[in-house]
Amino acid sequence: MISIKDIAKLAGVSVSTVSRVLNQQDNVKADKRERILAAIKQTGYVPNRAARDMVSKHTSTVGIVMPGTFNMFQRQLFSIVEHHLEQFGYHTSFYFASTDEDGELACLKRLKADRLDGIIILHEVALPEFRDHLEDNHIPTVLATFEREGWKATSIHISEDEAALRAVSYLIKLGHRDIACIGGTKYSFSSQRLLGYRKALEQAGIAYDERKVAFADAYNMEGGALALNQLMESNTNFTALFAITDELALGSIRALADHNLSVPGDVSVVGFDNIELSSFSVPRLTTISQPLVEMGQMSVALLHSLITSKNGLPVSIALPFTFVERDSTAQLR
Amino acid sequence: MISIKDIAKLAGVSVSTVSRVLNQQDNVKADKRERILAAIKQTGYVPNRAARDMVSKHTSTVGIVMPGTFNMFQRQLFSIVEHHLEQFGYHTSFYFASTDEDGELACLKRLKADRLDGIIILHEVALPEFRDHLEDNHIPTVLATFEREGWKATSIHISEDEAALRAVSYLIKLGHRDIACIGGTKYSFSSQRLLGYRKALEQAGIAYDERKVAFADAYNMEGGALALNQLMESNTNFTALFAITDELALGSIRALADHNLSVPGDVSVVGFDNIELSSFSVPRLTTISQPLVEMGQMSVALLHSLITSKNGLPVSIALPFTFVERDSTAQLR
DNA sequence: CTGAAAGCGCTTACAG
DNA sequence: CTGAAAGCGCTTACAG
């Protein structure tokens, strides 16, 4: 492996000078600079990142904490974040945290071994040591898509319960009174979206009926299908359904088809997240759209300012969501 | 940041000894080992990876080269690979390569800055410097899901053309003669799958009709929908459709619905890849299943043996695919 | 079994 | 504008 010494020798200068041009400092005479650049080009030399990271206090790398298995919404967000991070000149390291405690612990350990300039968390970690580590070492942190009390971190999110309320109110406006819900058990958004569902019912004077609520174990289509089947067996009936994520909604549509129920003919379905898929499904899904691109951009921009300003205060920002009417919902007949 | 020196001081030993227990060498007396372990636990110390990587010749990290925007198939594969890599004790670094030349160049540069133990490539890079770098530095490499002539790398893949032939032959067996195809322009699998399509037609004595073939620009659902619309405008007719990826197939089903054409009633559709989504779509998609889990496992296992044995020869392995009959195909009426 | 010392490939004052 | 030197946090012979 070719090193900075080789370049210095080749160009007939000291390593300090090579280092200077490597780090685009302008205080190097043109002729030396050119000889150095030529040597670099000729050898295809690229500085060893490990060495550079070790000596400088910053690593120019940002960590992204992700769930072990990420859903489509997170996948899209992650792409956007990654892209912007690259624009800002950051490297990215990924830290997958399984939901169990061991997984989070292993994740934290890996995190500690790297010196990160900052970190973006896409996955609600439960472990308190996580927050402790970030706080003790003053690592700038952005929580993307959720809030967390007690964390000294900037948070970008939407108002989950308001959005859910909006979605369910729409179903009510269409004349539906028997509205089922597919919720979840993990992460704070599940309780917040369920809260929105309850608020909407309350506002319309509809009694909450727990037989109309099923909880999915996993936020994927299979989870949605399974939950729908539970609802079918629970001795209740409904003409509309609110699923707290699009994947759940799409899975439920699949299961409804298996029960010979059509959407929106027999059941109106509204989802949440507006993943790419939702505009290509049959029928296209009515849903809540999170401002994904803005959330990603903003997370990166705010993290960057946190990193560079060094004394920025954490903020909690609720971005506006939008409601997207498509073909999976209809007026109650 | 707490360092190995601090631990040494705390435990009253030398850094060498601390290093020994850190690297699980057994030649350390029990009492010292315990004092060291206690100090580590108490301080939450984790060795600095950059320092460790710099001094040791291996980094225990494997690079994964991915396309800038990865489709669902790649996303699934990537999860599996990541998981197994972790099992084997490797760290992973991701290198996203945009398809243009600049993107690949930037990707290569990042790659060079890290000292990787090995690399798994999920994305067909075109740049010759890529191969040169890997070969010159003897970096063990596995190509996952494709082959590449002239690369001294192990390759795990399926026989793309045979699989496509199988899919299209099935349509023919169902009585279809007017079979359209949605192909693509990028990556070798597109031409191979198209080749399989042509072979199947040939075997059945059906003339190849280029009006029945449309090419998607992107391997996503929108690309599939767009391509289907092209077919509708191309003054031809068809009762079956082979799309070279599931996402393309699903996008085409969406577009068919927009033309009031039902699947499989009016058009039988078969895809390729068997992504998760395909068993939850309405209708469920008939498709070719790549042995994703095995491919991921095998890529990692073979890479590991390449890394540890140091003189393993590259192999090219074609794994068996399976054909999955579901609801998107029907006998010609 | 253990420690002192050298060295990995860089950057960063410091002196000129 | 430039170079010699120190040092980042580890590991690895080497000597005992």
Side-chain angles (χ1 to χ4, degrees), chain A residues 1 49 94 114 137 254 281, chain B residues 1 94 114 137 254 281:
Chain A
M1 276 283 110
R49 188 144 73 95
F94 301 92
D114 301 339
N137 296 288
R254 171 65 262 173
S281 56
Chain B
M1 277 283 110
F94 302 92
D114 300 341
N137 296 288
R254 170 66 263 175
S281 56

Side-chain angles (χ1 to χ4, degrees), chain B residues 296-317:
Chain B
Q297 272 180 191
M298 221 160 174
S299 299
V300 174
L302 285 173
L303 183 67
H304 181 68
S305 83
L306 240 34
I307 290 171
T308 49
S309 71
K310 278 294 170 202
N311 48 10
L313 282 175
V315 290
S316 178
I317 300 179

Side-chain angles (χ1 to χ4, degrees), chain B residues 71 73 158 160 163-164 167-168 180-198 213-220 224 227 241-250 252 269-275 285 287-288 290:
Chain B
N71 61 33
F73 173 73
I158 62 166
E160 304 277 357
V168 178
C181 176
I182 295 182
T185 52
K186 273 180 282 190
Y187 312 132
S188 56
F189 76 79
S190 67
S191 47
Q192 290 163 208
R193 293 180 189 178
L194 188 65
L195 181 66
Y197 164 77
R198 297 190 66 150
V213 180
F215 294 91
D217 287 327
Y219 294 118
N220 55 25
L241 169 66
F242 168 54
I244 67 163
T245 78
D246 280 3
E247 284 182 82
L248 254 21
L250 263 8
S252 75
V269 175
V270 40
F272 197 123
D273 284 342
N274 194 26
I275 61 178
L285 194 65
T287 190
I288 293 287
Q290 300 205 43

Side-chain angles (χ1 to χ4, degrees), chain A residues 1-3 43-54 68-72 75 78-79 82 86 91-96 98 108-110 112-115 133 137 220-223 225 247 250-251 253-254 257-258 276-277 279-284 327, chain B residues 1-3 43-54 68-72 75 78-79 82 86 91-96 98 108-110 112-115 133 137 220-223 225 247 250-251 253-254 257-258 276-277 279-284 327:
Chain A
M1 276 283 110
I2 162 142
S3 83
T43 56
Y45 166 73
V46 175
N48 180 319
R49 188 144 73 95
R52 179 176 266 185
D53 283 358
M54 197 188 64
T69 58
F70 46 115
N71 61 32
M72 295 191 201
R75 167 198 160 206
F78 144 87
S79 297
E82 214 285 327
E86 223 170 83
H91 298 264
T92 36
S93 287
F94 301 92
Y95 302 89
F96 292 93
S98 314
L108 178 60
K109 193 173 169 188
R110 272 176 280 136
K112 280 183 168 180
D114 301 339
R115 302 316 199 231
H133 169 68
N137 296 288
N220 55 25
M221 293 198 244
E222 189 174 11
E247 282 182 84
L250 263 7
I253 290 178
R254 171 65 262 173
D258 289 334
E276 274 172 351
L277 183 49
S279 44
F280 289 97
S281 56
V282 184
R284 294 183 173 88
D327 316 330
Chain B
M1 277 283 110
I2 161 141
S3 83
T43 56
Y45 166 73
V46 174
N48 179 320
R49 188 143 73 94
R52 180 176 265 186
D53 283 358
M54 198 187 63
T69 57
F70 46 115
N71 61 33
M72 294 192 201
R75 167 198 161 207
F78 144 86
S79 297
E82 214 285 327
E86 224 170 82
H91 298 263
T92 36
S93 287
F94 302 92
Y95 302 89
F96 293 93
S98 314
L108 178 60
K109 193 173 169 188
R110 272 177 279 135
K112 280 183 168 181
D114 300 341
R115 301 317 199 231
H133 170 67
N137 296 288
N220 55 25
M221 293 199 243
E222 189 174 12
E247 284 182 82
L250 263 8
I253 289 178
R254 170 66 263 175
D258 290 334
E276 275 173 350
L277 183 49
S279 44
F280 289 97
S281 56
V282 183
R284 293 182 173 88
D327 316 329

